[in-house]
Amino acid sequence: MTPCDNPSVGTVQEVRIAQRTGFCYGVREAIDKAKEASAAGKATHTLGQVVHNEGVIADLERLGIETVDTLDDVDHGAAVVIRAHGVRPDVMERANARGLEVIDGTCTWVIQEHRELAKLVDEGYTIVLLGTPNHAEVVGMLGFAPDAIVVDEEDEWDQKIPRKKRMALISQSTQPPWKFERLAALMVGRSHELKIVNTVCPVTIRRQEDTVEAAREVDLMVVVGGRSSANTKELTRLVEIAGVPALQIEGEADLIDPSVFDGKRIVGVTGGTSTPIEDLRDVARRVLEIAGTPDVAARAEELARAALAGAATPAGRTTSLPTPARTPDKVATPGAA
Ligand code: SF4
């Protein structure tokens, strides 16, 4: 009897982590800025969760970095980090007016989106914004173009998109490129002049390409990311379109049932833009431990590290600064100026 015939014996021989995974640079920079502020002894807050990942938030909390929902929760003089998604201009103004130390972690790509939107408004275009309504990035973008028409799923496009002489199309950074292109094609037929500003983030595009490439060479793909993360869900969808079974999880703790790997020899691991690359290593190790062949399961830690080393190139650092040990005498009193 081979391991494949006996479900109680693991069959996984190898785990591969997709290239260019881990935090995108926008998320990484915002987290690093928060860590640096805290290490400099500032009472540090982030306006909203700096990343949709509970493990990372817990790490930041251990450093004394607190997530707040509104600026009213931040004491005068304390530091507030604006996350990568950015905010409406009036939020920034209010933070400054309240005497907070604003640390702007808005991703440079998102800053560019804001500039493009302001320009389109000045030029008088009817703006269509492809994005998820109420997503923080979209809310921030609308601060620069309050009259923009937000559209998301394809079945609502026909009804929501008007016929206008001059229209412009722009996108939330993490929308899938195919959706943006399809919407552009529809809008061509609805306007005399159509200005297309392609703000789909290249990191998102590369992530999708690398995930699909990895998926083609494995028997099953594990996609790691927040349950509500749109870019994670899109990765799962693309893997399935490529004809490869996909398993979407939030982290290694979700891997309880080894039977999902029954008969699989090579397993791939990828993650959304808010997933630290270390989480992918931990997932790789867990897969090998619970579903690896006996030899492989015994070397799970070593093999998971090797898979991580194969994915993270020195040129593209994909994780945030190491979390420093907190020095009690360096921590400022909340509310201190
Ligand atoms: S996905 Fe792109 S635009 Fe969005 S935060 Fe990351 S790097 Fe910036």
Side-chain angles (χ1 to χ4, degrees):
M1 183 184 267
T2 69
C4 288
D5 302 323
N6 180 0
S8 63
V9 177
T11 56
V12 176
Q13 295 173 3
E14 188 184 345
V15 172
R16 294 178 191 166
I17 297 175
Q19 297 290 307
R20 295 185 289 186
T21 38
F23 291 142
C24 64
Y25 66 83
V27 166
R28 190 185 70 215
E29 290 294 312
I31 293 173
D32 286 357
K33 282 181 179 171
K35 285 181 178 175
E36 281 163 355
S38 165
K42 296 173 186 166
T44 307
H45 308 75
T46 66
L47 186 58
Q49 288 198 331
V50 74
V51 61
H52 304 298
N53 184 290
E54 295 309 323
V56 178
I57 297 297
D59 247 15
L60 295 178
E61 277 170 4
R62 274 193 287 278
L63 293 176
I65 300 167
E66 193 191 337
T67 302
V68 292
D69 292 330
T70 97
L71 292 173
D72 298 333
D73 297 333
V74 185
D75 291 326
H76 180 85
V80 62
V81 178
I82 305 298
R83 58 187 171 175
H85 296 318
V87 289
R88 299 190 314 263
D90 61 292
V91 174
M92 203 64 110
E93 282 159 21
R94 214 162 73 78
N96 284 319
R98 288 202 59 220
L100 309 182
E101 183 183 343
V102 179
I103 299 172
D104 192 1
T106 309
C107 173
T108 50
W109 188 265
V110 176
I111 290 173
Q112 192 55 32
E113 288 175 353
H114 294 170
R115 287 193 188 128
E116 296 283 3
L117 275 166
K119 206 162 133 217
L120 293 172
V121 170
D122 280 351
E123 291 167 351
Y125 285 98
T126 297
I127 302 167
V128 172
L129 165 55
L130 176 64
T132 309
N134 301 324
H135 185 285
E137 184 183 333
V138 172
V139 172
M141 290 172 86
L142 285 174
F144 293 82
D147 295 330
I149 302 162
V150 180
V151 297
D152 188 2
E153 297 308 332
E154 201 167 350
D155 56 11
E156 66 188 28
W157 295 353
D158 187 46
Q159 185 233 325
K160 277 193 164 178
I161 297 171
R163 290 181 190 276
K164 290 275 181 184
K165 195 161 181 214
R166 298 176 77 230
M167 286 213 281
L169 170 62
I170 194 164
S171 173
Q172 178 189 358
S173 62
T174 48
Q175 287 290 316
W178 63 266
K179 203 168 168 187
F180 186 77
E181 285 160 23
R182 204 176 286 182
L183 179 54
L186 177 126
M187 287 182 64
V188 165
R190 299 210 165 190
S191 50
H192 170 67
E193 180 195 337
L194 176 63
K195 184 162 181 180
I196 298 174
V197 185
N198 187 349
T199 46
V200 176
C201 172
V203 176
T204 310
I205 298 170
R206 284 199 293 269
R207 180 76 45 111
Q208 294 175 358
E209 285 171 356
D210 288 1
T211 294
V212 171
E213 198 179 313
R216 289 202 181 102
E217 294 177 354
V218 302
D219 302 313
L220 179 143
M221 201 77 189
V222 182
V223 184
V224 190
R227 241 174 282 283
S228 57
S229 157
N231 76 85
T232 304
K233 282 191 236 167
E234 180 63 14
L235 293 177
T236 304
R237 205 186 69 89
L238 289 173
V239 169
E240 286 168 349
I241 288 175
V244 178
L247 178 67
Q248 189 178 321
I249 59 169
E250 290 213 316
E252 59 164 329
D254 293 338
L255 289 177
I256 298 160
D257 178 12
S259 71
V260 292
F261 300 102
D262 278 356
K264 312 293 184 214
R265 280 192 326 109
I266 307 177
V267 171
V269 180
T270 190
T273 51
S274 301
T275 305
I277 201 163
E278 294 81 1
D279 281 15
L280 305 187
R281 176 203 55 208
D282 294 344
V283 165
R285 191 198 60 239
R286 178 84 184 141
V287 171
L288 293 166
E289 278 170 0
I290 66 168
T293 59
D295 169 50
V296 157
R299 296 167 54 224
E301 178 74 38
E302 172 203 340
L303 294 172
R305 281 182 191 283
L308 179 68
T313 57
R317 186 169 66 96
T318 52
T319 191
S320 77
L321 291 172
T323 303
R326 194 174 181 215
T327 347
D329 60 355
K330 275 188 137 185
V331 177
T333 312

PDB file of all heavy atoms in Angstrom, residues 237-274:
ATOM      1  N   ARG A 237      -9.869  33.003  -6.108  1.00  0.00           N
ATOM      2  CA  ARG A 237     -10.683  32.879  -7.325  1.00  0.00           C
ATOM      3  C   ARG A 237      -9.808  32.555  -8.536  1.00  0.00           C
ATOM      4  O   ARG A 237     -10.114  31.689  -9.346  1.00  0.00           O
ATOM      5  CB  ARG A 237     -11.425  34.206  -7.550  1.00  0.00           C
ATOM      6  CG  ARG A 237     -12.705  34.107  -8.355  1.00  0.00           C
ATOM      7  CD  ARG A 237     -13.248  35.500  -8.614  1.00  0.00           C
ATOM      8  NE  ARG A 237     -12.382  36.225  -9.540  1.00  0.00           N
ATOM      9  CZ  ARG A 237     -12.516  36.199 -10.852  1.00  0.00           C
ATOM     10  NH1 ARG A 237     -13.477  35.507 -11.411  1.00  0.00           N
ATOM     11  NH2 ARG A 237     -11.682  36.867 -11.633  1.00  0.00           N
ATOM     12  N   LEU A 238      -8.663  33.246  -8.620  1.00  0.00           N
ATOM     13  CA  LEU A 238      -7.788  33.040  -9.779  1.00  0.00           C
ATOM     14  C   LEU A 238      -7.179  31.639  -9.784  1.00  0.00           C
ATOM     15  O   LEU A 238      -7.018  31.028 -10.838  1.00  0.00           O
ATOM     16  CB  LEU A 238      -6.680  34.100  -9.787  1.00  0.00           C
ATOM     17  CG  LEU A 238      -7.141  35.521 -10.118  1.00  0.00           C
ATOM     18  CD1 LEU A 238      -6.004  36.518  -9.930  1.00  0.00           C
ATOM     19  CD2 LEU A 238      -7.682  35.611 -11.542  1.00  0.00           C
ATOM     20  N   VAL A 239      -6.843  31.149  -8.588  1.00  0.00           N
ATOM     21  CA  VAL A 239      -6.291  29.788  -8.495  1.00  0.00           C
ATOM     22  C   VAL A 239      -7.332  28.790  -9.002  1.00  0.00           C
ATOM     23  O   VAL A 239      -7.024  27.871  -9.777  1.00  0.00           O
ATOM     24  CB  VAL A 239      -5.872  29.472  -7.029  1.00  0.00           C
ATOM     25  CG1 VAL A 239      -5.561  27.994  -6.865  1.00  0.00           C
ATOM     26  CG2 VAL A 239      -4.681  30.329  -6.618  1.00  0.00           C
ATOM     27  N   GLU A 240      -8.571  28.993  -8.585  1.00  0.00           N
ATOM     28  CA  GLU A 240      -9.633  28.073  -9.007  1.00  0.00           C
ATOM     29  C   GLU A 240      -9.879  28.162 -10.513  1.00  0.00           C
ATOM     30  O   GLU A 240     -10.097  27.144 -11.169  1.00  0.00           O
ATOM     31  CB  GLU A 240     -10.915  28.362  -8.209  1.00  0.00           C
ATOM     32  CG  GLU A 240     -10.775  27.863  -6.775  1.00  0.00           C
ATOM     33  CD  GLU A 240     -11.872  28.361  -5.835  1.00  0.00           C
ATOM     34  OE1 GLU A 240     -12.638  29.268  -6.243  1.00  0.00           O
ATOM     35  OE2 GLU A 240     -11.950  27.867  -4.706  1.00  0.00           O
ATOM     36  N   ILE A 241      -9.806  29.382 -11.038  1.00  0.00           N
ATOM     37  CA  ILE A 241      -9.969  29.536 -12.499  1.00  0.00           C
ATOM     38  C   ILE A 241      -8.855  28.787 -13.230  1.00  0.00           C
ATOM     39  O   ILE A 241      -9.062  28.209 -14.292  1.00  0.00           O
ATOM     40  CB  ILE A 241      -9.967  31.035 -12.896  1.00  0.00           C
ATOM     41  CG1 ILE A 241     -11.269  31.678 -12.436  1.00  0.00           C
ATOM     42  CG2 ILE A 241      -9.787  31.230 -14.400  1.00  0.00           C
ATOM     43  CD1 ILE A 241     -11.336  33.179 -12.650  1.00  0.00           C
ATOM     44  N   ALA A 242      -7.645  28.758 -12.595  1.00  0.00           N
ATOM     45  CA  ALA A 242      -6.520  28.031 -13.209  1.00  0.00           C
ATOM     46  C   ALA A 242      -6.703  26.508 -13.096  1.00  0.00           C
ATOM     47  O   ALA A 242      -5.860  25.733 -13.548  1.00  0.00           O
ATOM     48  CB  ALA A 242      -5.206  28.458 -12.557  1.00  0.00           C
ATOM     49  N   GLY A 243      -7.799  26.095 -12.457  1.00  0.00           N
ATOM     50  CA  GLY A 243      -8.114  24.670 -12.370  1.00  0.00           C
ATOM     51  C   GLY A 243      -7.412  23.940 -11.245  1.00  0.00           C
ATOM     52  O   GLY A 243      -7.311  22.707 -11.255  1.00  0.00           O
ATOM     53  N   VAL A 244      -6.950  24.712 -10.257  1.00  0.00           N
ATOM     54  CA  VAL A 244      -6.235  24.099  -9.127  1.00  0.00           C
ATOM     55  C   VAL A 244      -7.080  24.286  -7.862  1.00  0.00           C
ATOM     56  O   VAL A 244      -7.585  25.392  -7.626  1.00  0.00           O
ATOM     57  CB  VAL A 244      -4.845  24.770  -8.946  1.00  0.00           C
ATOM     58  CG1 VAL A 244      -4.100  24.184  -7.761  1.00  0.00           C
ATOM     59  CG2 VAL A 244      -4.035  24.646 -10.222  1.00  0.00           C
ATOM     60  N   PRO A 245      -7.249  23.236  -7.053  1.00  0.00           N
ATOM     61  CA  PRO A 245      -8.021  23.415  -5.822  1.00  0.00           C
ATOM     62  C   PRO A 245      -7.349  24.439  -4.910  1.00  0.00           C
ATOM     63  O   PRO A 245      -6.118  24.482  -4.817  1.00  0.00           O
ATOM     64  CB  PRO A 245      -8.002  22.026  -5.163  1.00  0.00           C
ATOM     65  CG  PRO A 245      -7.419  21.094  -6.149  1.00  0.00           C
ATOM     66  CD  PRO A 245      -6.725  21.883  -7.212  1.00  0.00           C
ATOM     67  N   ALA A 246      -8.168  25.285  -4.278  1.00  0.00           N
ATOM     68  CA  ALA A 246      -7.626  26.325  -3.391  1.00  0.00           C
ATOM     69  C   ALA A 246      -8.262  26.200  -2.014  1.00  0.00           C
ATOM     70  O   ALA A 246      -9.439  25.862  -1.887  1.00  0.00           O
ATOM     71  CB  ALA A 246      -7.912  27.701  -3.970  1.00  0.00           C
ATOM     72  N   LEU A 247      -7.457  26.470  -1.004  1.00  0.00           N
ATOM     73  CA  LEU A 247      -7.943  26.443   0.368  1.00  0.00           C
ATOM     74  C   LEU A 247      -7.604  27.801   0.971  1.00  0.00           C
ATOM     75  O   LEU A 247      -6.427  28.136   1.113  1.00  0.00           O
ATOM     76  CB  LEU A 247      -7.215  25.318   1.124  1.00  0.00           C
ATOM     77  CG  LEU A 247      -7.535  25.140   2.596  1.00  0.00           C
ATOM     78  CD1 LEU A 247      -8.973  24.667   2.768  1.00  0.00           C
ATOM     79  CD2 LEU A 247      -6.579  24.107   3.200  1.00  0.00           C
ATOM     80  N   GLN A 248      -8.623  28.602   1.286  1.00  0.00           N
ATOM     81  CA  GLN A 248      -8.345  29.932   1.849  1.00  0.00           C
ATOM     82  C   GLN A 248      -8.450  29.884   3.371  1.00  0.00           C
ATOM     83  O   GLN A 248      -9.460  29.443   3.914  1.00  0.00           O
ATOM     84  CB  GLN A 248      -9.323  30.973   1.283  1.00  0.00           C
ATOM     85  CG  GLN A 248      -8.920  32.388   1.690  1.00  0.00           C
ATOM     86  CD  GLN A 248      -9.830  33.454   1.128  1.00  0.00           C
ATOM     87  OE1 GLN A 248     -10.270  33.358  -0.017  1.00  0.00           O
ATOM     88  NE2 GLN A 248     -10.099  34.472   1.919  1.00  0.00           N
ATOM     89  N   ILE A 249      -7.402  30.354   4.032  1.00  0.00           N
ATOM     90  CA  ILE A 249      -7.371  30.337   5.497  1.00  0.00           C
ATOM     91  C   ILE A 249      -6.808  31.669   6.010  1.00  0.00           C
ATOM     92  O   ILE A 249      -6.209  32.426   5.252  1.00  0.00           O
ATOM     93  CB  ILE A 249      -6.489  29.179   6.037  1.00  0.00           C
ATOM     94  CG1 ILE A 249      -5.048  29.315   5.506  1.00  0.00           C
ATOM     95  CG2 ILE A 249      -7.075  27.836   5.709  1.00  0.00           C
ATOM     96  CD1 ILE A 249      -4.063  28.396   6.181  1.00  0.00           C
ATOM     97  N   GLU A 250      -6.996  31.906   7.325  1.00  0.00           N
ATOM     98  CA  GLU A 250      -6.435  33.139   7.905  1.00  0.00           C
ATOM     99  C   GLU A 250      -5.022  32.899   8.432  1.00  0.00           C
ATOM    100  O   GLU A 250      -4.228  33.823   8.519  1.00  0.00           O
ATOM    101  CB  GLU A 250      -7.333  33.634   9.024  1.00  0.00           C
ATOM    102  CG  GLU A 250      -8.653  34.171   8.483  1.00  0.00           C
ATOM    103  CD  GLU A 250      -9.217  35.316   9.297  1.00  0.00           C
ATOM    104  OE1 GLU A 250      -9.185  35.207  10.540  1.00  0.00           O
ATOM    105  OE2 GLU A 250      -9.694  36.294   8.694  1.00  0.00           O
ATOM    106  N   GLY A 251      -4.744  31.666   8.826  1.00  0.00           N
ATOM    107  CA  GLY A 251      -3.421  31.388   9.366  1.00  0.00           C
ATOM    108  C   GLY A 251      -3.278  29.919   9.694  1.00  0.00           C
ATOM    109  O   GLY A 251      -4.220  29.129   9.489  1.00  0.00           O
ATOM    110  N   GLU A 252      -2.108  29.537  10.218  1.00  0.00           N
ATOM    111  CA  GLU A 252      -1.825  28.115  10.457  1.00  0.00           C
ATOM    112  C   GLU A 252      -2.837  27.465  11.404  1.00  0.00           C
ATOM    113  O   GLU A 252      -3.104  26.269  11.300  1.00  0.00           O
ATOM    114  CB  GLU A 252      -0.398  27.932  10.991  1.00  0.00           C
ATOM    115  CG  GLU A 252      -0.133  28.667  12.281  1.00  0.00           C
ATOM    116  CD  GLU A 252       1.116  28.174  12.980  1.00  0.00           C
ATOM    117  OE1 GLU A 252       1.445  26.981  12.837  1.00  0.00           O
ATOM    118  OE2 GLU A 252       1.751  28.965  13.682  1.00  0.00           O
ATOM    119  N   ALA A 253      -3.420  28.266  12.331  1.00  0.00           N
ATOM    120  CA  ALA A 253      -4.365  27.701  13.301  1.00  0.00           C
ATOM    121  C   ALA A 253      -5.606  27.132  12.612  1.00  0.00           C
ATOM    122  O   ALA A 253      -6.310  26.290  13.183  1.00  0.00           O
ATOM    123  CB  ALA A 253      -4.772  28.772  14.306  1.00  0.00           C
ATOM    124  N   ASP A 254      -5.875  27.572  11.396  1.00  0.00           N
ATOM    125  CA  ASP A 254      -7.046  27.055  10.670  1.00  0.00           C
ATOM    126  C   ASP A 254      -6.781  25.684  10.050  1.00  0.00           C
ATOM    127  O   ASP A 254      -7.705  25.042   9.542  1.00  0.00           O
ATOM    128  CB  ASP A 254      -7.440  28.018   9.535  1.00  0.00           C
ATOM    129  CG  ASP A 254      -7.960  29.334  10.072  1.00  0.00           C
ATOM    130  OD1 ASP A 254      -8.403  29.354  11.229  1.00  0.00           O
ATOM    131  OD2 ASP A 254      -7.905  30.331   9.335  1.00  0.00           O
ATOM    132  N   LEU A 255      -5.527  25.255  10.061  1.00  0.00           N
ATOM    133  CA  LEU A 255      -5.204  23.963   9.439  1.00  0.00           C
ATOM    134  C   LEU A 255      -5.302  22.851  10.486  1.00  0.00           C
ATOM    135  O   LEU A 255      -4.340  22.548  11.189  1.00  0.00           O
ATOM    136  CB  LEU A 255      -3.796  23.995   8.839  1.00  0.00           C
ATOM    137  CG  LEU A 255      -3.630  24.860   7.593  1.00  0.00           C
ATOM    138  CD1 LEU A 255      -2.173  24.872   7.145  1.00  0.00           C
ATOM    139  CD2 LEU A 255      -4.520  24.362   6.454  1.00  0.00           C
ATOM    140  N   ILE A 256      -6.490  22.306  10.582  1.00  0.00           N
ATOM    141  CA  ILE A 256      -6.735  21.280  11.611  1.00  0.00           C
ATOM    142  C   ILE A 256      -6.940  19.916  10.958  1.00  0.00           C
ATOM    143  O   ILE A 256      -6.497  18.901  11.465  1.00  0.00           O
ATOM    144  CB  ILE A 256      -8.000  21.653  12.417  1.00  0.00           C
ATOM    145  CG1 ILE A 256      -7.766  22.987  13.133  1.00  0.00           C
ATOM    146  CG2 ILE A 256      -8.355  20.568  13.427  1.00  0.00           C
ATOM    147  CD1 ILE A 256      -9.022  23.685  13.557  1.00  0.00           C
ATOM    148  N   ASP A 257      -7.584  19.927   9.795  1.00  0.00           N
ATOM    149  CA  ASP A 257      -7.992  18.671   9.169  1.00  0.00           C
ATOM    150  C   ASP A 257      -7.000  18.257   8.072  1.00  0.00           C
ATOM    151  O   ASP A 257      -7.007  18.824   6.981  1.00  0.00           O
ATOM    152  CB  ASP A 257      -9.392  18.876   8.570  1.00  0.00           C
ATOM    153  CG  ASP A 257      -9.883  17.638   7.842  1.00  0.00           C
ATOM    154  OD1 ASP A 257      -9.246  16.573   8.001  1.00  0.00           O
ATOM    155  OD2 ASP A 257     -10.892  17.744   7.111  1.00  0.00           O
ATOM    156  N   PRO A 258      -6.142  17.264   8.364  1.00  0.00           N
ATOM    157  CA  PRO A 258      -5.147  16.870   7.353  1.00  0.00           C
ATOM    158  C   PRO A 258      -5.763  16.251   6.106  1.00  0.00           C
ATOM    159  O   PRO A 258      -5.119  16.195   5.055  1.00  0.00           O
ATOM    160  CB  PRO A 258      -4.274  15.839   8.085  1.00  0.00           C
ATOM    161  CG  PRO A 258      -4.986  15.481   9.336  1.00  0.00           C
ATOM    162  CD  PRO A 258      -6.082  16.463   9.583  1.00  0.00           C
ATOM    163  N   SER A 259      -7.028  15.821   6.219  1.00  0.00           N
ATOM    164  CA  SER A 259      -7.611  15.094   5.081  1.00  0.00           C
ATOM    165  C   SER A 259      -7.756  15.984   3.837  1.00  0.00           C
ATOM    166  O   SER A 259      -7.860  15.465   2.724  1.00  0.00           O
ATOM    167  CB  SER A 259      -8.970  14.492   5.457  1.00  0.00           C
ATOM    168  OG  SER A 259      -9.929  15.515   5.593  1.00  0.00           O
ATOM    169  N   VAL A 260      -7.741  17.309   4.018  1.00  0.00           N
ATOM    170  CA  VAL A 260      -7.852  18.172   2.824  1.00  0.00           C
ATOM    171  C   VAL A 260      -6.635  18.017   1.911  1.00  0.00           C
ATOM    172  O   VAL A 260      -6.676  18.393   0.749  1.00  0.00           O
ATOM    173  CB  VAL A 260      -8.037  19.677   3.192  1.00  0.00           C
ATOM    174  CG1 VAL A 260      -9.377  19.930   3.834  1.00  0.00           C
ATOM    175  CG2 VAL A 260      -6.913  20.184   4.060  1.00  0.00           C
ATOM    176  N   PHE A 261      -5.547  17.457   2.482  1.00  0.00           N
ATOM    177  CA  PHE A 261      -4.333  17.275   1.672  1.00  0.00           C
ATOM    178  C   PHE A 261      -4.174  15.839   1.177  1.00  0.00           C
ATOM    179  O   PHE A 261      -3.145  15.501   0.593  1.00  0.00           O
ATOM    180  CB  PHE A 261      -3.091  17.679   2.482  1.00  0.00           C
ATOM    181  CG  PHE A 261      -3.128  19.115   2.937  1.00  0.00           C
ATOM    182  CD1 PHE A 261      -3.458  19.448   4.239  1.00  0.00           C
ATOM    183  CD2 PHE A 261      -2.856  20.140   2.040  1.00  0.00           C
ATOM    184  CE1 PHE A 261      -3.506  20.769   4.653  1.00  0.00           C
ATOM    185  CE2 PHE A 261      -2.901  21.468   2.445  1.00  0.00           C
ATOM    186  CZ  PHE A 261      -3.231  21.783   3.752  1.00  0.00           C
ATOM    187  N   ASP A 262      -5.173  15.019   1.415  1.00  0.00           N
ATOM    188  CA  ASP A 262      -5.078  13.614   1.016  1.00  0.00           C
ATOM    189  C   ASP A 262      -4.736  13.486  -0.469  1.00  0.00           C
ATOM    190  O   ASP A 262      -5.394  14.093  -1.319  1.00  0.00           O
ATOM    191  CB  ASP A 262      -6.413  12.887   1.279  1.00  0.00           C
ATOM    192  CG  ASP A 262      -6.529  12.464   2.738  1.00  0.00           C
ATOM    193  OD1 ASP A 262      -5.555  12.660   3.495  1.00  0.00           O
ATOM    194  OD2 ASP A 262      -7.609  11.958   3.107  1.00  0.00           O
ATOM    195  N   GLY A 263      -3.700  12.717  -0.746  1.00  0.00           N
ATOM    196  CA  GLY A 263      -3.324  12.457  -2.138  1.00  0.00           C
ATOM    197  C   GLY A 263      -2.532  13.583  -2.783  1.00  0.00           C
ATOM    198  O   GLY A 263      -2.088  13.456  -3.922  1.00  0.00           O
ATOM    199  N   LYS A 264      -2.345  14.724  -2.087  1.00  0.00           N
ATOM    200  CA  LYS A 264      -1.587  15.846  -2.679  1.00  0.00           C
ATOM    201  C   LYS A 264      -0.097  15.652  -2.420  1.00  0.00           C
ATOM    202  O   LYS A 264       0.301  15.293  -1.310  1.00  0.00           O
ATOM    203  CB  LYS A 264      -2.026  17.197  -2.074  1.00  0.00           C
ATOM    204  CG  LYS A 264      -3.534  17.396  -2.029  1.00  0.00           C
ATOM    205  CD  LYS A 264      -4.129  17.513  -3.408  1.00  0.00           C
ATOM    206  CE  LYS A 264      -5.620  17.798  -3.343  1.00  0.00           C
ATOM    207  NZ  LYS A 264      -6.403  17.199  -4.402  1.00  0.00           N
ATOM    208  N   ARG A 265       0.705  15.904  -3.445  1.00  0.00           N
ATOM    209  CA  ARG A 265       2.155  15.743  -3.282  1.00  0.00           C
ATOM    210  C   ARG A 265       2.843  17.086  -3.093  1.00  0.00           C
ATOM    211  O   ARG A 265       3.682  17.273  -2.242  1.00  0.00           O
ATOM    212  CB  ARG A 265       2.743  15.039  -4.514  1.00  0.00           C
ATOM    213  CG  ARG A 265       2.561  13.523  -4.512  1.00  0.00           C
ATOM    214  CD  ARG A 265       3.398  12.850  -5.595  1.00  0.00           C
ATOM    215  NE  ARG A 265       3.526  13.656  -6.810  1.00  0.00           N
ATOM    216  CZ  ARG A 265       4.643  14.261  -7.204  1.00  0.00           C
ATOM    217  NH1 ARG A 265       5.745  14.141  -6.490  1.00  0.00           N
ATOM    218  NH2 ARG A 265       4.665  14.969  -8.319  1.00  0.00           N
ATOM    219  N   ILE A 266       2.481  18.047  -3.951  1.00  0.00           N
ATOM    220  CA  ILE A 266       3.107  19.375  -3.847  1.00  0.00           C
ATOM    221  C   ILE A 266       2.014  20.397  -3.507  1.00  0.00           C
ATOM    222  O   ILE A 266       0.987  20.454  -4.182  1.00  0.00           O
ATOM    223  CB  ILE A 266       3.809  19.774  -5.159  1.00  0.00           C
ATOM    224  CG1 ILE A 266       4.782  18.673  -5.592  1.00  0.00           C
ATOM    225  CG2 ILE A 266       4.546  21.094  -4.998  1.00  0.00           C
ATOM    226  CD1 ILE A 266       5.468  18.934  -6.913  1.00  0.00           C
ATOM    227  N   VAL A 267       2.270  21.167  -2.466  1.00  0.00           N
ATOM    228  CA  VAL A 267       1.291  22.166  -2.030  1.00  0.00           C
ATOM    229  C   VAL A 267       1.934  23.550  -2.165  1.00  0.00           C
ATOM    230  O   VAL A 267       3.102  23.751  -1.805  1.00  0.00           O
ATOM    231  CB  VAL A 267       0.867  21.899  -0.560  1.00  0.00           C
ATOM    232  CG1 VAL A 267       0.026  23.055  -0.005  1.00  0.00           C
ATOM    233  CG2 VAL A 267       0.093  20.581  -0.466  1.00  0.00           C
ATOM    234  N   GLY A 268       1.174  24.491  -2.705  1.00  0.00           N
ATOM    235  CA  GLY A 268       1.658  25.872  -2.825  1.00  0.00           C
ATOM    236  C   GLY A 268       1.044  26.734  -1.735  1.00  0.00           C
ATOM    237  O   GLY A 268      -0.029  26.438  -1.221  1.00  0.00           O
ATOM    238  N   VAL A 269       1.752  27.818  -1.374  1.00  0.00           N
ATOM    239  CA  VAL A 269       1.240  28.754  -0.370  1.00  0.00           C
ATOM    240  C   VAL A 269       1.413  30.163  -0.921  1.00  0.00           C
ATOM    241  O   VAL A 269       2.472  30.526  -1.433  1.00  0.00           O
ATOM    242  CB  VAL A 269       2.009  28.617   0.964  1.00  0.00           C
ATOM    243  CG1 VAL A 269       1.466  29.606   1.997  1.00  0.00           C
ATOM    244  CG2 VAL A 269       1.923  27.199   1.518  1.00  0.00           C
ATOM    245  N   THR A 270       0.362  30.954  -0.813  1.00  0.00           N
ATOM    246  CA  THR A 270       0.455  32.362  -1.199  1.00  0.00           C
ATOM    247  C   THR A 270      -0.343  33.174  -0.191  1.00  0.00           C
ATOM    248  O   THR A 270      -1.000  32.609   0.681  1.00  0.00           O
ATOM    249  CB  THR A 270      -0.081  32.575  -2.635  1.00  0.00           C
ATOM    250  OG1 THR A 270       0.235  33.909  -3.054  1.00  0.00           O
ATOM    251  CG2 THR A 270      -1.578  32.390  -2.726  1.00  0.00           C
ATOM    252  N   GLY A 271      -0.266  34.502  -0.299  1.00  0.00           N
ATOM    253  CA  GLY A 271      -0.993  35.316   0.675  1.00  0.00           C
ATOM    254  C   GLY A 271      -1.316  36.685   0.127  1.00  0.00           C
ATOM    255  O   GLY A 271      -0.699  37.168  -0.827  1.00  0.00           O
ATOM    256  N   GLY A 272      -2.305  37.326   0.753  1.00  0.00           N
ATOM    257  CA  GLY A 272      -2.718  38.668   0.356  1.00  0.00           C
ATOM    258  C   GLY A 272      -1.692  39.711   0.765  1.00  0.00           C
ATOM    259  O   GLY A 272      -0.697  39.396   1.434  1.00  0.00           O
ATOM    260  N   THR A 273      -1.955  40.956   0.395  1.00  0.00           N
ATOM    261  CA  THR A 273      -0.976  42.019   0.627  1.00  0.00           C
ATOM    262  C   THR A 273      -0.870  42.427   2.100  1.00  0.00           C
ATOM    263  O   THR A 273       0.005  43.187   2.468  1.00  0.00           O
ATOM    264  CB  THR A 273      -1.324  43.263  -0.223  1.00  0.00           C
ATOM    265  OG1 THR A 273      -2.698  43.591  -0.011  1.00  0.00           O
ATOM    266  CG2 THR A 273      -1.085  43.021  -1.683  1.00  0.00           C
ATOM    267  N   SER A 274      -1.801  41.934   2.937  1.00  0.00           N
ATOM    268  CA  SER A 274      -1.727  42.229   4.378  1.00  0.00           C
ATOM    269  C   SER A 274      -1.194  41.042   5.159  1.00  0.00           C
ATOM    270  O   SER A 274      -1.261  41.033   6.390  1.00  0.00           O
ATOM    271  CB  SER A 274      -3.115  42.571   4.912  1.00  0.00           C
ATOM    272  OG  SER A 274      -3.648  43.670   4.248  1.00  0.00           O
TER     273      SER A 274
END
